[in-house]
Amino acid sequence: MFSSLDCVDLVYTDPAGRTRWLQTDHRRPAHIEAEPELSLIYAALRLRSPRRDFPIDAPPPVLEYRCQHLPPAFLRAAIAAAGAELWTDVHHPFAGVPPDLTAIVRLALAGLATRIARDRGLGRDLAGLAQLEQATPIVLRDADELRHWRAVVELAAFAGELLRARHGGRWILDDEHAALSLAFLAADDPTPIDLIELAIQRVEGDASTSLAALVTAVSGRSLS
């Protein structure tokens, strides 16, 4: 399941005795290419987040990303950047030096926010974020995992890119402070903001959580 962002699909031991943590992606290449930003973000989080759970007293497991079909080049690069092996029925070693995973994630989040604004006719402003937040459905993960994570990532990406445009800052991969190893670091505050976790709370029906209110609060802090 390509959208299971907070768990490993399968843990097993290979014939050489190595522990492997496997993530699966059953989509066809055309489906991946139709959603390049989400595909990159999902792959990065699914491969990065498990690292925090690597056993301390044992060799780190091999991360494996297994597809039914060879995925597009951009996803192959992201898999390699996350330090994982790509498999279909055989292993596909990455040719060359893998790109920087943080750079890939930042580009994908920026592209996703742009796509959301264009496709839904939203302004890249607080009003647009408030509209997106109001239109985001309540979806529990157990009820519909695909819709749940899509809503979470889209809301977090739009809010983070609005913060970046208005106040500076950057997305970071943070295994210590972020639920899924992805956080936003505002320009005027050293404390990472876990936008993914806030978006989860909103998507799961917590009306007291508002990413638009967060952006407004950061705006007020910047002006004070």
Side-chain angles (χ1 to χ4, degrees):
M1 181 60 171
F2 79 98
S3 64
S4 298
L5 301 189
D6 61 348
C7 63
V8 176
D9 289 345
L10 178 67
V11 176
Y12 72 98
T13 302
D14 66 18
R18 296 171 300 182
T19 300
R20 287 181 168 268
W21 290 13
L22 182 150
Q23 301 286 32
T24 58
D25 189 338
H26 300 304
R27 296 172 298 164
R28 293 185 176 275
H31 187 181
I32 297 172
E33 290 176 342
E35 297 184 318
E37 300 91 359
L38 277 174
S39 295
L40 286 170
I41 295 165
Y42 283 4
L45 296 185
R46 296 181 73 207
L47 292 169
R48 172 72 185 215
S49 188
R51 289 185 178 280
R52 76 178 69 213
D53 296 323
F54 280 1
I56 298 176
D57 57 348
V62 178
L63 284 173
E64 180 179 331
Y65 198 91
R66 185 171 288 266
C67 300
Q68 288 188 337
H69 313 275
L70 188 65
F74 67 81
L75 190 58
R76 299 200 299 270
I79 293 166
E85 295 181 358
L86 170 63
W87 286 76
T88 53
D89 52 340
V90 297
H91 180 213
H92 299 273
F94 186 75
V97 179
D100 179 70
L101 185 62
T102 302
I104 289 176
V105 171
R106 288 173 178 169
L107 288 172
L109 289 162
L112 179 59
T114 298
R115 181 186 290 262
I116 293 168
R118 182 192 66 213
D119 292 350
R120 304 185 193 183
L122 299 174
R124 302 290 295 273
D125 52 22
L126 275 171
L129 176 56
Q131 285 180 264
L132 178 62
E133 200 162 45
Q134 290 299 319
T136 297
I138 295 175
V139 188
L140 299 181
R141 176 187 164 182
D142 291 343
D144 191 332
E145 188 172 26
L146 181 58
R147 289 182 65 228
H148 170 84
W149 287 120
R150 181 187 297 273
V152 165
V153 171
E154 288 182 346
L155 186 56
F158 198 92
E161 286 304 297
L162 179 58
L163 271 173
R164 189 170 69 87
R166 289 169 63 96
H167 310 293
R170 63 191 187 277
W171 292 97
I172 60 172
L173 292 173
D174 184 342
D175 296 331
E176 181 178 355
H177 300 97
L180 290 180
S181 299
L182 178 65
F184 188 87
L185 194 63
D188 60 345
D189 192 335
T191 303
I193 303 171
D194 192 347
L195 292 174
I196 294 284
E197 179 59 31
L198 292 173
I200 290 173
Q201 294 173 20
R202 180 73 184 197
V203 170
E204 292 186 346
D206 183 358
S208 66
T209 299
S210 169
L211 279 78
L214 170 69
V215 175
T216 301
V218 174
S219 299
R221 186 179 68 207
S222 299
L223 293 174
S224 62

